[in-house]
Amino acid sequence: MKITVLGAGAWGTALAIAAAANGEAHEVRLWARNPDQLADMRQQRENRRYLPGAPFPERLQVLEAGLAELPALLAADDLVVIATPMAALRDMLTLLRASPAPVVWLCKGFERADGAGIGLLGHEICAEVAPGLQAGALSGPSFAKEVAAGRPTALVAASDSVLLRERLVQAFHGQSLRVYANDDLIGVEVGGAVKNVMAIATGLCDGLDLGLNARAALITRGLAEIARLGQALGARSETFMGLSGLGDLVLTATGDLSRNRQVGLLLAQGLSLQQAVDSLGHVAEGVYSAHTVAQRARALGIEMPITDAVVALLDGRLQPADAVTVLMGRDPVAELH
């Protein structure tokens, strides 16, 4: 297969490494918007900026090209992977709207809403700007560092397109990386987006040293919020018990490599939101997605108290210790409510 990964952050780089190491028949290219980064990766055979210590396999090429050149250069590809942050997905899908190759995105979250609009998930953006694409998402519980190192990982390939699901399995499924197909793209995307918000809450819980009981309760109730929103948007309930639901939530909420969890931990230490974000050096999608999650839940009449508390915390309307008081002081409800 001929595969191009557009975006050389940690996760895009890790998957490019995994694909290049997965089969002798794969020709894999990695592209970044920054020409200086491209030149450094080509020379060093490593992404020293975002994934240091993970050398490139021999079959991984660095694609040095301008943004406008990409559609022509990707015309003969079997699979195009968009590995940019959520904020750039709309522009990349617009650029690739006539792509003959299936296109998949890795980013998890909601597009930030402007003005009176609402933030959209990836498949909703694609429907607006590139409705003819065979498109989908590759998601699941995964840290880039572990994937690049060949640690055992399982992902889910989500799309309405059978061809795209098959291409994703062919590209990435191997000895250390398992890929499961799922046609519930809405559920996979909701799980991947909202778990980032829940990870901020869990980081806060752990940073305040509230204990393991509190962590377990928060993760469980967080999963209930994710499922409520997802089903209201048209997802299947069983998806949230899979890799992109429960799996991704547990990893992101408890793993110390999680940037969203780190935001919660830093807020618990008394840092401002700006200080917490600046200290990470990478995007924490939950910071940008939380408001949109709450907005869409309100529009659908869905109660998401943990999400609402995270939004109030990020806005500075609620202090870390007060967030616990707000959640514990809610009126009792049935567990499955």
Side-chain angles (χ1 to χ4, degrees), residues 12 87 89 152 255 262 279 284 302 307:
L89 181 60
Q262 288 299 322
S279 72
I302 303 298
T307 299

Side-chain angles (χ1 to χ4, degrees), residues 118-168:
I118 62 169
L120 302 179
L121 289 162
H123 75 276
E124 294 171 320
I125 298 170
C126 189
E128 281 192 358
V129 303
L133 276 183
Q134 292 190 80
L138 183 65
S139 192
S142 50
F143 288 140
K145 185 177 180 180
E146 294 191 0
V147 169
R151 297 283 187 91
T153 304
L155 300 175
V156 56
S159 176
D160 294 333
S161 166
V162 175
L163 173 64
L164 177 53
R165 297 198 301 266
E166 291 175 346
R167 292 272 174 95
L168 285 168

Side-chain angles (χ1 to χ4, degrees), residues 253-289:
T254 64
D256 287 335
L257 292 176
S258 164
R259 295 190 293 272
N260 293 284
R261 171 178 163 80
Q262 288 299 322
V263 169
L265 289 169
L266 293 170
L267 291 175
Q269 294 172 18
L271 272 68
S272 70
L273 177 60
Q274 192 60 56
Q275 289 171 328
V277 171
D278 289 346
S279 72
L280 296 176
H282 296 259
V283 174
E285 291 283 5
V287 172
Y288 308 106
S289 293

Side-chain angles (χ1 to χ4, degrees), residues 48-334:
R48 296 192 298 176
R49 181 175 180 182
Y50 291 112
L51 199 63
F56 290 174
E58 183 178 345
R59 287 189 298 276
L60 177 55
Q61 306 169 30
V62 175
L63 176 61
E64 296 189 74
L67 185 66
E69 302 173 77
L70 289 179
L73 293 173
L74 304 178
D77 277 19
D78 298 299
L79 179 66
V80 177
V81 180
I82 299 175
T84 63
M86 197 72 197
L89 181 60
R90 179 177 292 271
D91 288 345
M92 295 304 295
L93 287 173
T94 301
L95 182 73
L96 301 172
R97 60 185 179 274
S99 171
V103 175
V104 64
W105 49 86
L106 307 180
C107 46
K108 302 172 182 178
F110 287 85
E111 184 181 43
R112 190 185 299 191
D114 292 324
I118 62 169
L120 302 179
L121 289 162
H123 75 276
E124 294 171 320
I125 298 170
C126 189
E128 281 192 358
V129 303
L133 276 183
Q134 292 190 80
L138 183 65
S139 192
S142 50
F143 288 140
K145 185 177 180 180
E146 294 191 0
V147 169
R151 297 283 187 91
T153 304
L155 300 175
V156 56
S159 176
D160 294 333
S161 166
V162 175
L163 173 64
L164 177 53
R165 297 198 301 266
E166 291 175 346
R167 292 272 174 95
L168 285 168
V169 172
Q170 184 181 353
F172 297 109
H173 191 94
Q175 288 187 335
S176 62
L177 188 60
R178 294 189 60 83
V179 180
Y180 294 85
N182 191 330
D183 62 359
D184 183 12
L185 179 55
I186 297 173
V188 168
E189 286 207 300
V190 170
V194 186
K195 57 89 182 178
N196 289 326
V197 181
M198 301 305 160
I200 294 175
T202 311
L204 179 72
C205 171
D206 289 346
L208 293 173
D209 196 23
L210 299 182
L212 299 178
N213 293 349
R215 178 201 281 182
L218 189 55
I219 291 174
T220 306
R221 296 310 301 167
L223 182 61
E225 288 194 16
I226 294 171
R228 280 202 298 271
L229 179 62
Q231 289 175 268
L233 290 171
R236 296 196 300 266
S237 61
E238 60 266 27
T239 298
F240 301 108
M241 298 307 297
L243 290 167
S244 61
L246 178 61
D248 211 354
L249 174 61
V250 170
L251 180 72
T252 311
T254 64
D256 287 335
L257 292 176
S258 164
R259 295 190 293 272
N260 293 284
R261 171 178 163 80
Q262 288 299 322
V263 169
L265 289 169
L266 293 170
L267 291 175
Q269 294 172 18
L271 272 68
S272 70
L273 177 60
Q274 192 60 56
Q275 289 171 328
V277 171
D278 289 346
S279 72
L280 296 176
H282 296 259
V283 174
E285 291 283 5
V287 172
Y288 308 106
S289 293
H291 290 83
T292 301
V293 172
Q295 177 194 46
R296 297 203 70 167
R298 284 194 301 272
L300 293 165
I302 303 298
E303 288 190 7
M304 299 188 69
I306 299 173
T307 299
D308 290 339
V310 170
V311 170
L313 181 70
L314 296 177
D315 287 348
R317 294 182 282 111
L318 200 61
Q319 294 303 306
D322 295 335
V324 180
T325 303
V326 169
L327 290 172
M328 294 303 292
R330 295 183 69 237
D331 291 337
V333 297

